Amino acid sequence: MKGLMMEYPLTLTHLLERVRKLYPHKEIVSRMPSGLHRYTYGEYYERVCRLANALRSLGVQKGDRVATFAWNHYRHFELYFAVPCLGAVLHTLNIRLFPDQIAYIVNHAEDQLIFVDDSLIPVLERIQPQLKGVKGYVIMTDSERLPETSLSPVYDYEALLREADPHFEFPTLEEDDAAVMCYTSGTTGNPKGAVYSHRALVLHTLVECLPDGMALGERDVVLPIVPMFHVNAWGLPFAATLVGAKQVYPGPHLHPRDIAELIQQEKVTLTAGVPTIWLGMYELLQSERYDLSSLRTVIIGGSAAPRSLIEGFEKRFGISITHAWGMTEMSPLGTVSKLKSHLEQLPEEERFAYRAKQGIPAPFVELRAVDDQGREVPWDGQTMGELQVRGPWIIRSYYNDPRTEEAFDDGWFRTGDVVTIDPEGYIQIVDRTKDLVKSGGEWISSVELENAIMAHPKVKEAAVIALPHPKWQERPLACVVPKEEFKDKITKDEILEFLRDKVAKWWLPDEVVFVEEIPKTSVGKFDKKALRKQFEDYTWPTTPDEI
Ligand code: AMP
């Protein structure tokens, strides 16, 4: 039997209509350079309709790509629904990429229009001559007048909305229609495009809201710190809309003090971002007082949340951290680390060890780890393998890209992450395939070493890279940033001594160098490629026999 249920395509339009009907009075707050901006979902809906009319009048058709070049704020959020619900494709450009990469992406995606924050105009001005297909630039500004710019033609976002009809009949879409696209911020080669369908985003949103996902409900106040150009701010704007939660957008100022003030003032219950943000916040909270008691949970992902950070936040400040893992190619949610109830009985040490893992797969995400020979490795928490995944919000191919072929293995997407999976199903990312240290044919996890070093009380950040070695092919070099107050007051031996009972002896880094900072990628992760480049002429001070 088939065709039993109603035809009801899973589209984002449903989320938008629902919030308008049920939660028109809930607030959306944005911290703009000119001050706090507040309005309700009711007002939001009207502006989304005006925006949809404006897009139509600018000639946007079904399937056209409409790009954004913007921080996290309400206008960006208006585009989040207006563009896909119109049937066009929202393309969120990563503002932190190199100009040439941005030009590549705009041209590759064939973006028709770019919506740009006034503060970011100079970046686009530099590459405009390369952007042949772009038909116009829409400037988002709080000023009365548009700034002087060489971009052309330009439109004023607010003027477009003022002049547009406030009523719009959203078209009926198919659930497989494209809704959003985003390029990976990979550190090698040109960025690769991932296109998400309405159906994928709707299913992803539902699962994200589950209690053992990010547990979002109407009572939440959600602050996405993760950029809206980085995999839809991990889906939080959609999830918050589905449930009718109040949303808070931080704008361009992301200093820990700005974030702490916003959490305190708006009584944020759930926020999310990469570890770098939280490492900074942890330091701030040691010296300055904020009332962050409204926070129910902080989602950390994008790179590994050091266990010391999870433990420190909880014990010192009573803030609960949820560690999660995902990828641009996965819309992005893959795993979430919450303790299963029967693991609550474990001693504290083991509980934190579980919570520092990346977690168990979300419903509908299937995963397996595969060794060098393509064999699936056992779920024993020991054996490492490359993680492969499949599921309804994982891409089937990269957008118009021949590199698709190498990215898939018999219908599974190859993540490039090396993991162990334990008998409970918790994965632990031990490395990127490219970042593993291969010493004498054995794998050393750079990530595990980093986490162990970052637990040292004098250390702010640490990154470990593999460098060529005459005897062992590769050996680990630890690059360590001391906390401000311990600059020049920490030694290599202290670090090695600290590691001695935490990792195997042959894993100990051959050298520890103290550096001012670890280079970061456009989305705030350690940029190991840049770090390797920095140390490409490095010669080991110790002889191989000392290992
Ligand atoms: P992106 O597509 O830019 O979000 O990057 C995805 C990659 O970030 C993954 O393949 C992982 O290598 C890394 N990543 C994401 N979340 C985590 C996490 N919780 N722990 C470790 N690595 C992570």
Side-chain angles (χ1 to χ4, degrees):
M1 283 192 283
K2 286 200 168 167
L4 300 174
M5 314 312 276
M6 288 182 182
E7 284 260 324
Y8 196 94
L10 305 178
T11 63
L12 293 176
T13 319
H14 178 75
L15 277 56
L16 179 66
E17 296 293 353
R18 182 173 196 272
V19 87
R20 169 181 71 93
K21 286 192 198 123
L22 300 179
Y23 305 108
H25 304 302
K26 295 294 293 284
E27 270 187 322
I28 300 159
V29 181
S30 307
R31 195 184 35 217
M32 309 302 284
S34 57
L36 273 193
H37 174 277
R38 290 173 189 278
Y39 65 174
T40 63
Y41 276 112
E43 293 164 279
Y44 168 78
Y45 183 85
E46 189 195 304
R47 281 175 57 96
V48 171
C49 289
R50 287 176 183 272
L51 178 55
N53 279 314
L55 287 163
R56 276 254 167 93
S57 67
L58 289 170
V60 173
Q61 310 264 332
K62 188 162 184 198
D64 282 352
R65 266 75 70 201
V66 174
T68 57
F69 200 66
W71 296 102
N72 289 13
H73 52 64
Y74 68 103
R75 295 189 182 104
H76 204 168
F77 178 53
E78 287 163 2
L79 286 151
Y80 255 55
F81 276 94
V83 177
C85 295
L86 183 68
V89 185
L90 176 78
H91 177 198
T92 52
L93 294 164
N94 181 338
I95 60 177
R96 298 209 185 97
L97 290 179
F98 293 115
D100 280 350
Q101 283 179 314
I102 299 168
Y104 168 85
I105 293 174
V106 171
N107 290 331
H108 188 264
E110 299 176 81
D111 293 331
Q112 307 273 311
L113 289 173
I114 304 183
F115 284 71
V116 53
D117 279 353
D118 51 2
S119 60
L120 299 170
I121 289 173
V123 187
L124 292 188
E125 282 179 334
R126 241 177 293 155
I127 54 173
Q128 194 197 2
Q130 298 171 59
L131 309 182
K132 302 268 186 273
V134 178
K135 297 196 187 111
Y137 299 84
V138 183
I139 299 189
M140 298 188 278
T141 177
D142 285 346
S143 307
E144 291 292 306
R145 301 180 52 213
L146 283 190
E148 284 291 315
T149 172
S150 60
L151 294 177
S152 165
V154 288
Y155 304 91
D156 176 350
Y157 186 90
E158 289 302 325
L160 286 176
L161 261 61
R162 254 194 320 272
E163 287 150 22
D165 190 329
H167 303 286
F168 188 82
E169 192 71 33
F170 286 99
T172 306
L173 302 171
E174 293 185 28
E175 61 180 25
D176 287 328
D177 285 342
V180 180
M181 78 191 295
C182 192
Y183 280 68
T184 60
S185 48
T187 41
T188 47
N190 279 323
K192 292 178 268 191
V195 185
Y196 316 119
S197 65
H198 279 264
R199 173 188 154 85
L201 295 180
V202 168
L203 292 173
H204 181 273
T205 304
L206 287 170
V207 168
E208 186 156 284
C209 292
L210 289 177
D212 290 328
M214 296 190 190
L216 253 74
E218 184 263 335
R219 286 174 176 71
D220 276 307
V221 179
V222 181
L223 168 67
I225 299 173
V226 45
M228 293 172 90
F229 57 75
H230 188 203
V231 221
N232 310 326
W234 298 345
L236 286 170
F238 296 128
T241 306
L242 175 80
V243 298
K246 171 177 166 183
Q247 304 195 39
V248 182
Y249 287 104
H253 301 295
L254 300 174
H255 186 278
R257 198 169 282 126
D258 302 318
I259 302 293
E261 278 169 13
L262 209 49
I263 294 173
Q264 174 172 285
Q265 184 179 316
E266 297 302 324
K267 303 217 173 347
V268 169
T269 63
L270 184 143
T271 176
V274 292
T276 325
I277 300 265
W278 306 111
L279 288 164
M281 181 75 98
Y282 190 68
E283 269 203 56
L284 175 78
L285 293 182
Q286 322 228 6
S287 55
E288 292 179 27
R289 277 181 164 268
Y290 293 92
D291 176 8
L292 305 186
S293 56
S294 59
L295 266 186
R296 183 169 61 71
T297 194
V298 171
I299 314 282
I300 300 194
S303 39
R307 180 198 153 141
S308 49
L309 186 73
I310 302 178
E311 204 171 332
F313 259 110
E314 192 145 311
K315 286 190 174 157
R316 291 201 57 171
F317 307 116
I319 295 173
S320 160
I321 302 247
T322 304
H323 194 192
W325 165 85
M327 299 184 76
T328 303
E329 293 87 338
M330 301 176 68
S331 305
L333 189 64
T335 63
V336 181
S337 197
K338 293 220 173 139
L339 268 190
K340 293 186 188 175
S341 55
H342 76 100
L343 301 176
E344 301 274 6
Q345 335 295 336
L346 291 174
E348 181 185 280
E349 179 69 16
E350 289 172 52
R351 288 203 311 268
F352 277 115
Y354 267 109
R355 296 204 16 225
K357 293 187 178 193
Q358 278 72 12
I360 61 171
F364 298 113
V365 173
E366 269 186 83
L367 50 81
R368 66 178 188 186
V370 171
D371 69 12
D372 280 355
Q373 275 86 48
R375 288 174 308 212
E376 192 172 343
V377 306
W379 288 26
D380 59 7
Q382 304 281 328
T383 319
M384 299 184 199
E386 187 191 5
L387 183 61
Q388 303 189 342
V389 290
R390 58 183 187 190
W393 52 80
I394 298 167
I395 56 163
R396 184 202 290 256
S397 64
Y398 285 109
Y399 178 66
N400 282 347
D401 201 310
R403 289 169 293 182
T404 289
E405 205 175 316
E406 68 221 41
F408 291 85
D409 175 7
D410 195 22
W412 293 75
F413 174 69
R414 301 177 53 191
T415 64
D417 285 329
V418 180
V419 297
T420 58
I421 309 177
D422 70 25
E424 294 285 350
Y426 286 74
I427 68 161
Q428 178 155 25
I429 306 230
V430 293
D431 231 319
R432 291 290 296 163
T433 42
K434 291 187 231 72
D435 295 337
L436 277 169
V437 185
K438 295 199 179 104
S439 171
E442 298 289 334
W443 288 354
I444 297 177
S445 156
S446 66
V447 173
E448 220 167 292
L449 275 177
E450 285 159 9
N451 286 342
I453 300 172
M454 283 194 278
H456 192 289
K458 294 186 182 174
V459 171
K460 181 174 171 214
E461 283 182 341
V464 171
I465 49 171
L467 288 186
H469 191 283
K471 181 166 171 189
W472 302 103
Q473 294 93 47
E474 285 180 359
R475 290 292 302 163
L477 172 82
C479 306
V480 175
V481 183
K483 285 185 183 153
E484 201 55 45
E485 62 272 33
F486 296 113
K487 253 190 188 163
D488 306 319
K489 290 191 197 122
I490 175 171
T491 63
K492 164 185 170 183
D493 288 341
E494 268 180 275
I495 301 275
L496 294 183
E497 200 44 52
F498 183 72
L499 291 179
R500 227 166 275 281
D501 60 349
K502 300 186 177 63
V503 299
K505 186 157 175 270
W506 62 278
W507 277 36
L508 286 179
D510 291 41
E511 194 53 49
V512 178
V513 292
F514 294 99
V515 294
E516 286 284 314
E517 62 173 345
I518 309 288
K520 309 269 169 20
T521 68
S522 59
V523 287
K525 304 181 192 193
F526 290 164
D527 188 345
K528 300 265 182 98
K529 195 175 157 224
L531 200 59
R532 278 195 287 269
K533 184 122 192 63
Q534 222 168 298
F535 286 94
E536 67 187 349
D537 298 325
Y538 186 81
T539 43
W540 295 109
T542 49
T543 65
D545 293 329
E546 287 174 40
I547 294 163

